[in-house]
Amino acid sequence: MTVGKVYLDMPVNYLKGVGPARAESLRKLGIVTARDLLFHIPHRYEDASTISPIASLETGMDGTIIGKVISKGIIPTRRGLRIFQAVLKDESGMIEASWPGQPFLDRSIEKGDIMLLTGSVRFFHGRQLQPREYIQLGKDDDDVKGGKVLAVYPATEGLSFKVIRGIIDQHLDTLLPLIKEYLPEDVLRHAGLPSLREALLMVHRPKTIAEGTRGRARLAFEELLFVHILHRRANALKREKRSGTAFENRRQLTSALKNALPFTLTNAQTVAVREIVADMVSDRKMHRLLQGDVGSGKTIVALFAALLAMENGYQAAIMAPTELLAEQHFRTFTTLLEPLGIEPVLVTGSLSARARKAAAARLAGTEPVLAVGTHALAQEAAVFGRLGFVTIDEQHRFGVEQRAAIAAKGESPDVLLMSATPIPRSLALTAYGDLDVSTLDERPAGRQPVTTVMRPESARERVLQFVARETEKGRQAYVVYPVIEESEKTDLKAATTMYEQLSAGAFAGRVVALIHGRVPADERETIMRAFRDGKIDVLVSTTVIEVGIDVPNATVMLIEHPERFGLSQLHQLRGRVGRGAEASYCILLGGVGEEAAERLKIFVDTDDGFEIARADLRLRGMGNLFGEEQSGEATFRIADPVRDEELNIEARAAAERLLERDPGLTAKENAGIRKVLSARYSRALELFRVG
Ligand code: ADP
Ligand code: MG
């Protein structure tokens, strides 16, 4: 269906050339409206701007030519592959171009067509061009000359970047005039950046690669600027009216815990506790992130904070992303707090009706209580009588709404978020905005390092035998795969098939179980529980086991297709072993490319989560750091605060200047910014008000 008049908010399926199927594929790329299409920018360019005379091409070189098709046809090969070939001619000479496996081009490329080709030249019965890209520029007599810079777009299954390029190109001239600038002129002038309309033209149809880069810079700049504005606003709000409870540091329960602990706190833990206590005794509301590597001992720090609230007569809650983890915390706390005469209360979805009722009664009361649970704590049904402190473990596993919901309960509780993916402080400021940050950069003493190795495919048998031997000694193992099921598109080993294969083969006679994201949550918990209790020897899995589960008897983490995982993700997986007294191993199995091997070497060589997170950031950018589960934070589509460091500094200064002059952004020239902010970042704005 095509509607006469095009407008920016128009759903893409109304655009010419986009049917329901393409609209669906575009949606996967986050493109819903015509405006989204404009903001879908190329991730790289193919430089076909310098045209070489055909005669000058030599074997082994890369080049771009413009020539006329003087003959063409399909060549079958012995192996059944059909190749489309064409001979192109310009004033200097001729060359054969060849497209293996693309016989269908015979239908669209005709004799007499003038084409631009860019690719590499190889020797095959003479010079032959293998085009990476081609464009039909016109017919025989058209006046065509000059090269091009070709935009390459992020694509998705069923929708190639060429089709995307075609769609964008087709509509660019109608859509661009609808674009209105929303940044004040002096901001742009100061940053030396083009207007929005110019920038969009530059990114989609650059004359040079530098022009494309300049256009992108403007778009990245505005993203960074908006986020800085949001953060500054959030901070201002925080200063204005974030009054919280001023707890008193009575040193009753907290001192008792310190004396009862079977270990002494690390320095980093002591500092973090001190920072948190300072927040809690002030009358400002705490909104702090505690970040620290896997195993750095975050839980105990949170427990000190909870006890501080409780010795002031308030309730405290700790929310974890899974029932299993909640139970684990519950058990830890029950043991640690026994000498103090405190019995925590467990709140999860699978409590019996009676237990639920008893728990609800304790929460609704006004006695100090420590509630440990899942998102059940954040649900409407959970009513707190006097909640003064909340901590959210593995915070990125929760949605903004869940975090907001629990922070909104009780008496405006102080909030502590915990994360096992540590990031550099400067970056934390950008990523988390108005959060204060405490960092545990030290491991408790006496932990066994995990021996980490990379093993090639040829070592498979030996590796599996090693794992089997470990289980025969009574240890347990995880085997992790990147996908649940095999598919025709990739030849990745998958958890389900390998589970069958391993339980019948290498691990025959052992108890092997399978767990992945499509196993229903309650079944998943049952399996994890059985594994924790030692009833399962080998757990075949996808990354669902990532979350902070503690099984000291597990000593092997075997990861297949390690190149498919981010470094931080691998580090999280490795953190599942090395938790007991026995020597532990993390084995990356399988042949990986050279590039991947280099990346993985960083992981093999260091056990430092910070270093790994930094490498991950450098290599893959912000968006990927937290894996797919990341939800809610103001993220960037175009900008990358790590790679765009200078732009980021400039954007921050610009935000500062803007808000200094016009703190509420009420001036007329800032109306555009205000509008875009509320349209684009409503979810993020929500987050900034949390806690
Ligand atoms: P994470 O930061 O990954 O959440 P945990 O809080 O689960 O780490 O702690 C990991 C393990 O280290 C737990 O078994 C905990 O009891 C232990 N632990 C915490 N702090 C110390 C310490 N200072 N000394 C020795 N062991 C500690
Ligand atoms: Mg933890």
Side-chain angles (χ1 to χ4, degrees), residues 334-380:
T334 303
T335 315
L336 286 173
L337 298 179
E338 214 227 72
L340 282 65
I342 297 173
E343 270 180 54
V345 54
L346 182 66
V347 182
T348 67
S350 60
L351 293 183
S352 68
R354 232 177 80 202
R356 188 172 316 175
K357 225 167 134 194
R362 284 186 69 191
L363 298 195
T366 49
E367 287 300 300
V369 65
L370 176 60
V372 185
T374 56
H375 61 276
L377 287 169
Q379 280 161 2
E380 222 170 295

Side-chain angles (χ1 to χ4, degrees), residues 247-310:
F247 296 105
E248 201 180 309
N249 190 5
R250 298 174 197 260
R251 294 194 173 83
Q252 291 160 356
L253 296 175
T254 50
S255 296
L257 174 65
K258 211 175 205 167
N259 296 331
L261 275 186
F263 46 75
T264 48
L265 294 183
T266 63
N267 277 332
Q269 283 172 322
T270 307
V271 171
V273 169
R274 203 179 298 142
E275 286 167 349
I276 290 166
V277 169
D279 278 359
M280 291 179 73
V281 300
S282 92
D283 57 4
R284 268 192 36 204
K285 193 162 152 172
M286 174 165 74
H287 193 199
R288 182 173 284 276
L289 175 77
L290 175 62
Q291 57 167 7
D293 209 346
V294 211
S296 58
K298 294 183 287 293
T299 320
I300 201 80
V301 173
L303 184 58
F304 274 98
L307 291 183
L308 177 62
M310 289 168 72

Side-chain angles (χ1 to χ4, degrees), residues 230-470:
L230 288 175
H231 291 169
R232 301 198 130 251
R233 283 285 291 157
N235 269 316
L237 280 177
K238 176 167 84 173
R239 257 176 266 120
E240 269 168 35
K241 52 170 196 195
R242 284 214 335 194
S243 56
T245 310
F247 296 105
E248 201 180 309
N249 190 5
R250 298 174 197 260
R251 294 194 173 83
Q252 291 160 356
L253 296 175
T254 50
S255 296
L257 174 65
K258 211 175 205 167
N259 296 331
L261 275 186
F263 46 75
T264 48
L265 294 183
T266 63
N267 277 332
Q269 283 172 322
T270 307
V271 171
V273 169
R274 203 179 298 142
E275 286 167 349
I276 290 166
V277 169
D279 278 359
M280 291 179 73
V281 300
S282 92
D283 57 4
R284 268 192 36 204
K285 193 162 152 172
M286 174 165 74
H287 193 199
R288 182 173 284 276
L289 175 77
L290 175 62
Q291 57 167 7
D293 209 346
V294 211
S296 58
K298 294 183 287 293
T299 320
I300 201 80
V301 173
L303 184 58
F304 274 98
L307 291 183
L308 177 62
M310 289 168 72
E311 69 188 16
N312 280 270
Y314 284 84
Q315 300 171 323
I318 173 163
M319 182 162 82
T322 64
E323 296 208 349
L324 201 71
L325 202 54
E327 283 173 17
Q328 184 177 299
H329 288 327
F330 177 72
R331 207 158 321 136
T332 308
F333 294 163
T334 303
T335 315
L336 286 173
L337 298 179
E338 214 227 72
L340 282 65
I342 297 173
E343 270 180 54
V345 54
L346 182 66
V347 182
T348 67
S350 60
L351 293 183
S352 68
R354 232 177 80 202
R356 188 172 316 175
K357 225 167 134 194
R362 284 186 69 191
L363 298 195
T366 49
E367 287 300 300
V369 65
L370 176 60
V372 185
T374 56
H375 61 276
L377 287 169
Q379 280 161 2
E380 222 170 295
V383 176
F384 289 86
R386 210 174 177 222
L387 186 63
F389 170 78
V390 167
T391 178
I392 304 176
D393 195 15
E394 309 282 347
Q395 59 97 15
H396 64 278
R397 297 266 162 167
F398 291 95
V400 181
E401 290 78 12
Q402 281 169 326
R403 288 182 299 205
I406 190 156
K409 293 192 181 274
E411 322 265 303
S412 180
D414 278 348
V415 178
L416 181 68
L417 302 168
M418 301 205 282
S419 161
T421 305
I423 58 179
R425 179 173 287 270
S426 61
L427 201 60
L429 291 176
T430 309
Y432 299 117
D434 62 336
L435 287 177
D436 297 310
V437 179
S438 290
T439 302
L440 299 184
D441 52 5
E442 190 182 351
R443 290 282 172 86
R447 280 192 62 137
Q448 291 257 11
V450 177
T451 306
T452 304
V453 293
M454 240 189 289
R455 288 288 177 260
E457 191 54 37
S458 57
R460 171 171 299 272
E461 276 316 304
R462 258 179 302 137
V463 166
L464 293 178
Q465 274 166 21
F466 171 78
V467 178
R469 270 201 310 278
E470 278 290 297

Side-chain angles (χ1 to χ4, degrees), residues 376-685:
L377 287 169
Q379 280 161 2
E380 222 170 295
V383 176
F384 289 86
R386 210 174 177 222
L387 186 63
F389 170 78
V390 167
T391 178
I392 304 176
D393 195 15
E394 309 282 347
Q395 59 97 15
H396 64 278
R397 297 266 162 167
F398 291 95
V400 181
E401 290 78 12
Q402 281 169 326
R403 288 182 299 205
I406 190 156
K409 293 192 181 274
E411 322 265 303
S412 180
D414 278 348
V415 178
L416 181 68
L417 302 168
M418 301 205 282
S419 161
T421 305
I423 58 179
R425 179 173 287 270
S426 61
L427 201 60
L429 291 176
T430 309
Y432 299 117
D434 62 336
L435 287 177
D436 297 310
V437 179
S438 290
T439 302
L440 299 184
D441 52 5
E442 190 182 351
R443 290 282 172 86
R447 280 192 62 137
Q448 291 257 11
V450 177
T451 306
T452 304
V453 293
M454 240 189 289
R455 288 288 177 260
E457 191 54 37
S458 57
R460 171 171 299 272
E461 276 316 304
R462 258 179 302 137
V463 166
L464 293 178
Q465 274 166 21
F466 171 78
V467 178
R469 270 201 310 278
E470 278 290 297
T471 63
E472 275 151 31
K473 283 192 274 178
R475 309 281 111 75
Q476 289 162 279
Y478 301 94
V479 185
V480 176
Y481 292 90
V483 290
I484 300 176
E485 263 163 20
E486 286 184 5
S487 86
E488 285 171 11
K489 290 189 200 71
T490 65
D491 46 10
L492 294 177
K493 292 191 183 61
T496 27
T497 26
M498 287 309 288
Y499 162 71
E500 305 281 336
Q501 198 177 318
L502 291 171
S503 33
F507 305 139
R510 321 291 336 167
V511 186
V512 186
L514 171 69
I515 192 170
H516 54 70
R518 264 187 256 143
V519 175
D522 51 343
E523 221 172 290
R524 221 152 65 197
E525 301 260 355
T526 310
I527 297 170
M528 282 311 297
R529 240 171 240 131
F531 186 73
R532 176 195 66 198
D533 298 340
K535 292 180 189 139
I536 291 169
D537 300 314
V538 180
L539 188 59
V540 177
S541 145
T542 58
T543 53
V544 292
I545 51 150
E546 234 182 291
V547 170
I549 183 76
D550 197 8
V551 182
N553 191 46
T555 56
V556 181
M557 171 61 67
L558 174 61
I559 302 169
E560 295 235 44
H561 298 294
E563 75 282 1
R564 305 286 298 195
F565 299 95
L567 298 181
S568 293
Q569 215 176 2
L570 289 172
H571 187 60
Q572 289 278 320
L573 289 170
R574 175 166 58 189
R576 300 303 119 229
V577 296
R579 295 180 159 248
E582 306 294 335
S584 288
Y585 307 89
C586 177
I587 308 169
L588 310 183
L589 179 59
V592 301
E594 211 171 297
E595 207 176 306
E598 207 168 293
R599 186 170 66 90
L600 293 172
K601 194 168 178 307
I602 302 172
F603 166 75
V604 172
D605 287 349
T606 180
D607 196 27
D608 180 341
F610 283 87
E611 205 173 302
I612 287 169
R614 263 195 294 275
D616 230 0
L617 279 168
R618 217 171 42 236
L619 295 167
R620 307 201 309 161
M622 278 276 284
N624 283 313
L625 186 59
F626 300 94
E628 279 138 38
E629 316 265 344
Q630 158 80 343
S631 54
E633 265 85 27
T635 48
F636 303 96
R637 280 185 67 138
I638 298 169
D640 180 330
V642 182
R643 288 176 207 156
D644 296 321
E645 197 178 344
E646 272 172 45
L647 267 184
N648 194 18
I649 293 168
E650 174 64 36
R652 193 156 156 180
E656 207 166 298
R657 280 195 303 272
L658 259 174
L659 292 173
E660 220 151 78
R661 251 182 300 160
D662 181 12
L665 293 179
T666 48
K668 194 154 161 275
E669 78 260 23
N670 292 332
I673 295 190
R674 222 172 42 240
K675 212 164 128 202
V676 178
L677 278 181
S678 59
R680 241 192 253 179
Y681 297 96
S682 55
R683 260 169 74 84
L685 277 170

